[in-house]
Every structure is written in structure tokens, then in C-alpha cells.
Amino acid sequence: MPTNHKIHEGRNIKRFREMLGIKQDALAFDLNMSQQAVSQIEQKETIDAALLQQIADILKLPVEAIQNFDEEQAVNVIANTFSLDNGSIFNAHNTNPVFNPVEAVLKLHEEKIALYERMLKEKDEMMAELKNLINK
């Protein structure tokens, strides 16, 4: 039974942003706009292609992930993929493994953590350098 459920790109941006642990104001900073503007974007069903590409680049996601992610379908796939089967733990069957969003999100999350750690290290180095300059 086909569904007429329309993809909501703004809501998908919000979901991916939250999965990556990125706050609205951080995304707003990267987009050079206000947090309120990001909030408005997340409420829009369809996003301008250039802006969508910019957001996808910042989140390190393919644009198609934002354009095609359907939470209802994802829940159905998960529910139909994993089932208890007479004592066996899971009966998993995927006939067309193309894109694993969970692995992609976890990888992106690890990259973001590494980036934040590098930024903190650089900040600490700058603070130490400033202290040295002040003490001279």
C-alpha cells in the first residue's frame, strides 16, 4: 500500500542535527545566520536547494539523506527487519544494503568529537601563549 506521506526536509535537518549532538545556535553560526532563522528552516517542509546543500555539507551528510529520510519508513524497516524467531536472537535480512544511516551518523559524531577536541586543544594552547605574553 503506497503512502502519500511527504518528506519534511526541515524536520529531517532537525533530526540529523540532534542525532549529531549539534545545537541550533552552532548550526546557525556555521550558516552565518541567527538561531531563530535555523528554527524557521527546521519548520519548512521544503528547503531551497542551495541552502539544503550548505546544511548537508556542514552536517557532513549527503543531501539525499535529508531529502529522502522518512522516519515512518525507517521504523517500519526496523520493525520488519528484526524479529524474534523461535528462540533465536534476531532474524536480520537486508536484500539491498546501500546506505546505513546509523553507521554514518555515528562516524560523523566521532568526527565532530575529534574536531571539538582539536578546537579545545588549540584554545588551551592560545590561552597558554597569552599568559606567557602577559607575564613578559
Side-chain angles (χ1 to χ4, degrees), residues 11-28:
R11 197 174 304 129
N12 287 347
I13 289 170
K14 179 179 180 178
R15 287 190 182 108
F16 282 116
R17 176 183 59 73
E18 289 174 342
M19 283 189 275
L20 293 167
I22 300 170
K23 296 191 179 294
Q24 271 186 347
D25 57 354
L27 180 58

Side-chain angles (χ1 to χ4, degrees), residues 127-136:
M127 293 300 291
E129 192 173 321
L130 283 172
K131 285 179 185 176
N132 285 339
L133 289 172
I134 291 170
N135 290 336
K136 288 183 181 178

Side-chain angles (χ1 to χ4, degrees), residues 36-92:
Q36 291 81 5
V38 170
S39 179
Q40 289 174 349
I41 289 168
E42 291 180 350
Q43 294 173 26
K44 291 183 180 178
E45 190 169 310
T46 306
I47 312 290
D48 172 71
L51 179 58
L52 189 62
Q53 181 65 58
Q54 190 179 4
I55 292 170
D57 290 344
I58 290 168
L59 297 178
K60 296 183 180 177
L61 292 170
V63 172
E64 296 79 15
I66 297 170
Q67 292 172 323
N68 298 320
F69 181 74
D70 183 343
E71 186 175 39
E72 188 176 304
Q73 280 186 326
V75 169
N76 286 337
V77 167
I78 292 167
N80 291 327
T81 302
F82 297 103
S83 62
L84 291 176
D85 185 29
N86 293 333
S88 68
I89 301 190
F90 285 109
N91 177 21

